[in-house]
Amino acid sequence: MSLDCTNAVAGPLLADIYAREGLDDECEQLLLSATDALFSQPWAWQRLGFLYLRQHTNDRAVHAFQNALSSDRSNRVCWEGLCEAYLGIGRIHTAVKVARKVKELDACVSAHWLCAQTTMHARMLDVALGHFDDAIECAEDGVWTRVLSVGRAECLTMCAEKWYHDGLFGRAAEACSNALSAMLECGARSFLEWGVVYVSCVWMARVHSQFTKHPELFDSNVLEALMGCAQSQVVEQGPMPGYLKQVVDKAQSEGECEPKVRLVLELAAVAAQLRVMLAESSVLAAQSWTDLGSVYYTYSTETASSPLLFQSQSLYSSTKLLDAAADCATAAMQLDPTARAANLQGTVAAVSKNSALSQHAFIVATRRAVLSGMPWANLGSLFLVHGDIELANKAFARAQMTEPDFYGGWMGQALVAECMDATECVDLYEACLAHEGVATVSIANCWMFVLARV
């Protein structure tokens, strides 16, 4: 290459050696010299695209792959790389179109998988499930079969979330059950796979809050088998880190609720514990601590006399569980103070009557999620509980401005108007009716207010 930097035989070989050895700077320098306008080597553009993908500079990867494809539109590998790059920069629907192009060139298992991944990200969930099924039929390799089974289970958890919000609780429960069965069949072991188990349990618990009369939707055998698998892997991982053990011991054997719900929540907790132990970065560890704290908080709100999971705000079966949830939130905030971790910390602190910490956490959340109305709505709720109507009104107004489609801002403004005896609260309640999951609450509040004035 020092003799001829356009050498299309030595160039790819040397670039691949650099990549294998982790010499990214040398590799990039070589590839950039080969992609000079005077030479324009397609092999270099392709390798440069994948180098940028590894470095998560996806916008540069898009440029590289487009240059590679300008000389060969039939290069399926480049189209696959371009699809990943578009996903990385958030151009989801463009990625869907590119994935279809890959499938047109070669309807192989990887093409079906790419179509499944992109349509899943685009929330075209029924289409994604079809692509996963097609890919599984094409798969002849055990590794591919496992990857596809996990991907399909992840898609089912997204379906469960959608169907839950659509009020299709039976379908949501079935999706969770199928996802958990898939994880049991493939023998969940990785960070991602236990994440699927965790999310499935969360939505299964939420479905139970709406669908308590149909316990047959939950297969105890699958739950117990996965629990055994999770507990054995916790032991395999070696001694539990000190702080994690302290938190788990604090929450152990606390809380009383319906046995099957307890099993679901315990499995979610163990799955989150495993993810804390398996996390390979502080970001993933923080996410897992937040997951674990969310389970403990949910468990603390579940009592034998109150089957409404995620809705009971007045009865708490265990202060120890709340303390454990607070510890998890603190750990997450120390590792990576995301909006989700801050919202959890603020919520737990508010319930524990620590108003100063709650206010601080919600303010952090507003700065971490500048496009979300939820932190502002949480802050407004805190002010409203403490009787500061003016600040509550300002916070709910910010929630409306930040995210007009988020129902929390409108609900909060309606509550503020009701406190001020303002008749426009009826209009504000009616504005919530179009939002999923809150129509019934809005109608009830609206009619209660109207009837109170008759």
mmCIF file with all atom_site columns, all heavy atoms in Angstrom, residues 251-265:
data_model
loop_
_atom_site.group_PDB
_atom_site.id
_atom_site.type_symbol
_atom_site.label_atom_id
_atom_site.label_alt_id
_atom_site.label_comp_id
_atom_site.label_asym_id
_atom_site.label_entity_id
_atom_site.label_seq_id
_atom_site.pdbx_PDB_ins_code
_atom_site.Cartn_x
_atom_site.Cartn_y
_atom_site.Cartn_z
_atom_site.occupancy
_atom_site.B_iso_or_equiv
_atom_site.pdbx_formal_charge
_atom_site.auth_seq_id
_atom_site.auth_comp_id
_atom_site.auth_asym_id
_atom_site.auth_atom_id
_atom_site.pdbx_PDB_model_num
ATOM 1   N N   . ALA A 1 251 ? -35.358 -5.827  50.884 1.00 0.00 ? 251 ALA A N   1
ATOM 2   C CA  . ALA A 1 251 ? -36.674 -6.041  50.277 1.00 0.00 ? 251 ALA A CA  1
ATOM 3   C C   . ALA A 1 251 ? -37.166 -7.481  50.405 1.00 0.00 ? 251 ALA A C   1
ATOM 4   O O   . ALA A 1 251 ? -38.301 -7.782  50.045 1.00 0.00 ? 251 ALA A O   1
ATOM 5   C CB  . ALA A 1 251 ? -36.628 -5.665  48.795 1.00 0.00 ? 251 ALA A CB  1
ATOM 6   N N   . GLN A 1 252 ? -36.311 -8.389  50.902 1.00 0.00 ? 252 GLN A N   1
ATOM 7   C CA  . GLN A 1 252 ? -36.630 -9.813  50.912 1.00 0.00 ? 252 GLN A CA  1
ATOM 8   C C   . GLN A 1 252 ? -37.860 -10.100 51.774 1.00 0.00 ? 252 GLN A C   1
ATOM 9   O O   . GLN A 1 252 ? -37.974 -9.617  52.906 1.00 0.00 ? 252 GLN A O   1
ATOM 10  C CB  . GLN A 1 252 ? -35.445 -10.607 51.457 1.00 0.00 ? 252 GLN A CB  1
ATOM 11  C CG  . GLN A 1 252 ? -35.522 -12.102 51.188 1.00 0.00 ? 252 GLN A CG  1
ATOM 12  C CD  . GLN A 1 252 ? -35.354 -12.414 49.711 1.00 0.00 ? 252 GLN A CD  1
ATOM 13  O OE1 . GLN A 1 252 ? -34.672 -11.704 48.996 1.00 0.00 ? 252 GLN A OE1 1
ATOM 14  N NE2 . GLN A 1 252 ? -35.984 -13.482 49.267 1.00 0.00 ? 252 GLN A NE2 1
ATOM 15  N N   . SER A 1 253 ? -38.772 -10.886 51.213 1.00 0.00 ? 253 SER A N   1
ATOM 16  C CA  . SER A 1 253 ? -39.943 -11.397 51.940 1.00 0.00 ? 253 SER A CA  1
ATOM 17  C C   . SER A 1 253 ? -40.839 -10.298 52.496 1.00 0.00 ? 253 SER A C   1
ATOM 18  O O   . SER A 1 253 ? -41.497 -10.477 53.515 1.00 0.00 ? 253 SER A O   1
ATOM 19  C CB  . SER A 1 253 ? -39.497 -12.308 53.100 1.00 0.00 ? 253 SER A CB  1
ATOM 20  O OG  . SER A 1 253 ? -38.750 -13.387 52.619 1.00 0.00 ? 253 SER A OG  1
ATOM 21  N N   . GLU A 1 254 ? -40.834 -9.155  51.841 1.00 0.00 ? 254 GLU A N   1
ATOM 22  C CA  . GLU A 1 254 ? -41.701 -8.069  52.284 1.00 0.00 ? 254 GLU A CA  1
ATOM 23  C C   . GLU A 1 254 ? -42.893 -7.936  51.344 1.00 0.00 ? 254 GLU A C   1
ATOM 24  O O   . GLU A 1 254 ? -42.792 -8.212  50.164 1.00 0.00 ? 254 GLU A O   1
ATOM 25  C CB  . GLU A 1 254 ? -40.937 -6.740  52.313 1.00 0.00 ? 254 GLU A CB  1
ATOM 26  C CG  . GLU A 1 254 ? -39.889 -6.671  53.410 1.00 0.00 ? 254 GLU A CG  1
ATOM 27  C CD  . GLU A 1 254 ? -40.498 -6.514  54.784 1.00 0.00 ? 254 GLU A CD  1
ATOM 28  O OE1 . GLU A 1 254 ? -41.695 -6.200  54.867 1.00 0.00 ? 254 GLU A OE1 1
ATOM 29  O OE2 . GLU A 1 254 ? -39.783 -6.730  55.769 1.00 0.00 ? 254 GLU A OE2 1
ATOM 30  N N   . GLY A 1 255 ? -43.997 -7.494  51.865 1.00 0.00 ? 255 GLY A N   1
ATOM 31  C CA  . GLY A 1 255 ? -45.166 -7.221  51.028 1.00 0.00 ? 255 GLY A CA  1
ATOM 32  C C   . GLY A 1 255 ? -46.082 -8.416  50.916 1.00 0.00 ? 255 GLY A C   1
ATOM 33  O O   . GLY A 1 255 ? -45.645 -9.559  50.828 1.00 0.00 ? 255 GLY A O   1
ATOM 34  N N   . GLU A 1 256 ? -47.370 -8.163  50.962 1.00 0.00 ? 256 GLU A N   1
ATOM 35  C CA  . GLU A 1 256 ? -48.372 -9.205  50.835 1.00 0.00 ? 256 GLU A CA  1
ATOM 36  C C   . GLU A 1 256 ? -49.287 -8.864  49.668 1.00 0.00 ? 256 GLU A C   1
ATOM 37  O O   . GLU A 1 256 ? -49.813 -7.778  49.591 1.00 0.00 ? 256 GLU A O   1
ATOM 38  C CB  . GLU A 1 256 ? -49.199 -9.314  52.124 1.00 0.00 ? 256 GLU A CB  1
ATOM 39  C CG  . GLU A 1 256 ? -48.397 -9.778  53.335 1.00 0.00 ? 256 GLU A CG  1
ATOM 40  C CD  . GLU A 1 256 ? -47.851 -11.187 53.162 1.00 0.00 ? 256 GLU A CD  1
ATOM 41  O OE1 . GLU A 1 256 ? -48.489 -11.973 52.446 1.00 0.00 ? 256 GLU A OE1 1
ATOM 42  O OE2 . GLU A 1 256 ? -46.800 -11.498 53.735 1.00 0.00 ? 256 GLU A OE2 1
ATOM 43  N N   . CYS A 1 257 ? -49.447 -9.819  48.743 1.00 0.00 ? 257 CYS A N   1
ATOM 44  C CA  . CYS A 1 257 ? -50.375 -9.604  47.633 1.00 0.00 ? 257 CYS A CA  1
ATOM 45  C C   . CYS A 1 257 ? -50.808 -10.954 47.106 1.00 0.00 ? 257 CYS A C   1
ATOM 46  O O   . CYS A 1 257 ? -50.379 -12.005 47.577 1.00 0.00 ? 257 CYS A O   1
ATOM 47  C CB  . CYS A 1 257 ? -49.741 -8.755  46.539 1.00 0.00 ? 257 CYS A CB  1
ATOM 48  S SG  . CYS A 1 257 ? -48.268 -9.477  45.815 1.00 0.00 ? 257 CYS A SG  1
ATOM 49  N N   . GLU A 1 258 ? -51.672 -10.940 46.116 1.00 0.00 ? 258 GLU A N   1
ATOM 50  C CA  . GLU A 1 258 ? -52.173 -12.176 45.512 1.00 0.00 ? 258 GLU A CA  1
ATOM 51  C C   . GLU A 1 258 ? -50.995 -13.027 45.040 1.00 0.00 ? 258 GLU A C   1
ATOM 52  O O   . GLU A 1 258 ? -50.067 -12.524 44.413 1.00 0.00 ? 258 GLU A O   1
ATOM 53  C CB  . GLU A 1 258 ? -53.095 -11.795 44.351 1.00 0.00 ? 258 GLU A CB  1
ATOM 54  C CG  . GLU A 1 258 ? -53.979 -12.919 43.852 1.00 0.00 ? 258 GLU A CG  1
ATOM 55  C CD  . GLU A 1 258 ? -53.272 -13.767 42.801 1.00 0.00 ? 258 GLU A CD  1
ATOM 56  O OE1 . GLU A 1 258 ? -52.487 -13.204 42.034 1.00 0.00 ? 258 GLU A OE1 1
ATOM 57  O OE2 . GLU A 1 258 ? -53.514 -14.979 42.777 1.00 0.00 ? 258 GLU A OE2 1
ATOM 58  N N   . PRO A 1 259 ? -50.967 -14.343 45.354 1.00 0.00 ? 259 PRO A N   1
ATOM 59  C CA  . PRO A 1 259 ? -49.781 -15.176 45.126 1.00 0.00 ? 259 PRO A CA  1
ATOM 60  C C   . PRO A 1 259 ? -49.221 -15.116 43.711 1.00 0.00 ? 259 PRO A C   1
ATOM 61  O O   . PRO A 1 259 ? -48.007 -15.019 43.519 1.00 0.00 ? 259 PRO A O   1
ATOM 62  C CB  . PRO A 1 259 ? -50.274 -16.586 45.460 1.00 0.00 ? 259 PRO A CB  1
ATOM 63  C CG  . PRO A 1 259 ? -51.385 -16.374 46.428 1.00 0.00 ? 259 PRO A CG  1
ATOM 64  C CD  . PRO A 1 259 ? -52.044 -15.095 46.018 1.00 0.00 ? 259 PRO A CD  1
ATOM 65  N N   . LYS A 1 260 ? -50.091 -15.155 42.700 1.00 0.00 ? 260 LYS A N   1
ATOM 66  C CA  . LYS A 1 260 ? -49.577 -15.162 41.335 1.00 0.00 ? 260 LYS A CA  1
ATOM 67  C C   . LYS A 1 260 ? -48.952 -13.824 40.964 1.00 0.00 ? 260 LYS A C   1
ATOM 68  O O   . LYS A 1 260 ? -47.934 -13.761 40.276 1.00 0.00 ? 260 LYS A O   1
ATOM 69  C CB  . LYS A 1 260 ? -50.703 -15.515 40.360 1.00 0.00 ? 260 LYS A CB  1
ATOM 70  C CG  . LYS A 1 260 ? -50.196 -15.924 38.990 1.00 0.00 ? 260 LYS A CG  1
ATOM 71  C CD  . LYS A 1 260 ? -51.270 -16.620 38.172 1.00 0.00 ? 260 LYS A CD  1
ATOM 72  C CE  . LYS A 1 260 ? -51.524 -18.012 38.678 1.00 0.00 ? 260 LYS A CE  1
ATOM 73  N NZ  . LYS A 1 260 ? -52.401 -18.789 37.767 1.00 0.00 ? 260 LYS A NZ  1
ATOM 74  N N   . VAL A 1 261 ? -49.538 -12.726 41.454 1.00 0.00 ? 261 VAL A N   1
ATOM 75  C CA  . VAL A 1 261 ? -48.954 -11.414 41.208 1.00 0.00 ? 261 VAL A CA  1
ATOM 76  C C   . VAL A 1 261 ? -47.610 -11.311 41.906 1.00 0.00 ? 261 VAL A C   1
ATOM 77  O O   . VAL A 1 261 ? -46.644 -10.764 41.372 1.00 0.00 ? 261 VAL A O   1
ATOM 78  C CB  . VAL A 1 261 ? -49.889 -10.289 41.704 1.00 0.00 ? 261 VAL A CB  1
ATOM 79  C CG1 . VAL A 1 261 ? -49.271 -8.932  41.457 1.00 0.00 ? 261 VAL A CG1 1
ATOM 80  C CG2 . VAL A 1 261 ? -51.230 -10.377 40.997 1.00 0.00 ? 261 VAL A CG2 1
ATOM 81  N N   . ARG A 1 262 ? -47.543 -11.851 43.112 1.00 0.00 ? 262 ARG A N   1
ATOM 82  C CA  . ARG A 1 262 ? -46.280 -11.846 43.855 1.00 0.00 ? 262 ARG A CA  1
ATOM 83  C C   . ARG A 1 262 ? -45.203 -12.560 43.063 1.00 0.00 ? 262 ARG A C   1
ATOM 84  O O   . ARG A 1 262 ? -44.061 -12.096 42.966 1.00 0.00 ? 262 ARG A O   1
ATOM 85  C CB  . ARG A 1 262 ? -46.475 -12.496 45.216 1.00 0.00 ? 262 ARG A CB  1
ATOM 86  C CG  . ARG A 1 262 ? -45.213 -12.477 46.089 1.00 0.00 ? 262 ARG A CG  1
ATOM 87  C CD  . ARG A 1 262 ? -45.420 -13.267 47.376 1.00 0.00 ? 262 ARG A CD  1
ATOM 88  N NE  . ARG A 1 262 ? -44.193 -13.229 48.159 1.00 0.00 ? 262 ARG A NE  1
ATOM 89  C CZ  . ARG A 1 262 ? -44.020 -12.515 49.257 1.00 0.00 ? 262 ARG A CZ  1
ATOM 90  N NH1 . ARG A 1 262 ? -44.988 -11.756 49.711 1.00 0.00 ? 262 ARG A NH1 1
ATOM 91  N NH2 . ARG A 1 262 ? -42.875 -12.548 49.912 1.00 0.00 ? 262 ARG A NH2 1
ATOM 92  N N   . LEU A 1 263 ? -45.546 -13.706 42.461 1.00 0.00 ? 263 LEU A N   1
ATOM 93  C CA  . LEU A 1 263 ? -44.579 -14.468 41.673 1.00 0.00 ? 263 LEU A CA  1
ATOM 94  C C   . LEU A 1 263 ? -44.109 -13.663 40.464 1.00 0.00 ? 263 LEU A C   1
ATOM 95  O O   . LEU A 1 263 ? -42.915 -13.643 40.133 1.00 0.00 ? 263 LEU A O   1
ATOM 96  C CB  . LEU A 1 263 ? -45.201 -15.799 41.218 1.00 0.00 ? 263 LEU A CB  1
ATOM 97  C CG  . LEU A 1 263 ? -44.321 -16.728 40.379 1.00 0.00 ? 263 LEU A CG  1
ATOM 98  C CD1 . LEU A 1 263 ? -43.037 -17.071 41.125 1.00 0.00 ? 263 LEU A CD1 1
ATOM 99  C CD2 . LEU A 1 263 ? -45.083 -17.997 40.010 1.00 0.00 ? 263 LEU A CD2 1
ATOM 100 N N   . VAL A 1 264 ? -45.035 -12.972 39.801 1.00 0.00 ? 264 VAL A N   1
ATOM 101 C CA  . VAL A 1 264 ? -44.678 -12.139 38.649 1.00 0.00 ? 264 VAL A CA  1
ATOM 102 C C   . VAL A 1 264 ? -43.705 -11.043 39.060 1.00 0.00 ? 264 VAL A C   1
ATOM 103 O O   . VAL A 1 264 ? -42.681 -10.804 38.406 1.00 0.00 ? 264 VAL A O   1
ATOM 104 C CB  . VAL A 1 264 ? -45.945 -11.517 38.008 1.00 0.00 ? 264 VAL A CB  1
ATOM 105 C CG1 . VAL A 1 264 ? -45.571 -10.461 36.984 1.00 0.00 ? 264 VAL A CG1 1
ATOM 106 C CG2 . VAL A 1 264 ? -46.795 -12.594 37.348 1.00 0.00 ? 264 VAL A CG2 1
ATOM 107 N N   . LEU A 1 265 ? -44.010 -10.362 40.163 1.00 0.00 ? 265 LEU A N   1
ATOM 108 C CA  . LEU A 1 265 ? -43.162 -9.262  40.618 1.00 0.00 ? 265 LEU A CA  1
ATOM 109 C C   . LEU A 1 265 ? -41.802 -9.763  41.111 1.00 0.00 ? 265 LEU A C   1
ATOM 110 O O   . LEU A 1 265 ? -40.776 -9.113  40.894 1.00 0.00 ? 265 LEU A O   1
ATOM 111 C CB  . LEU A 1 265 ? -43.867 -8.474  41.722 1.00 0.00 ? 265 LEU A CB  1
ATOM 112 C CG  . LEU A 1 265 ? -45.096 -7.675  41.272 1.00 0.00 ? 265 LEU A CG  1
ATOM 113 C CD1 . LEU A 1 265 ? -45.810 -7.069  42.476 1.00 0.00 ? 265 LEU A CD1 1
ATOM 114 C CD2 . LEU A 1 265 ? -44.710 -6.588  40.291 1.00 0.00 ? 265 LEU A CD2 1
#
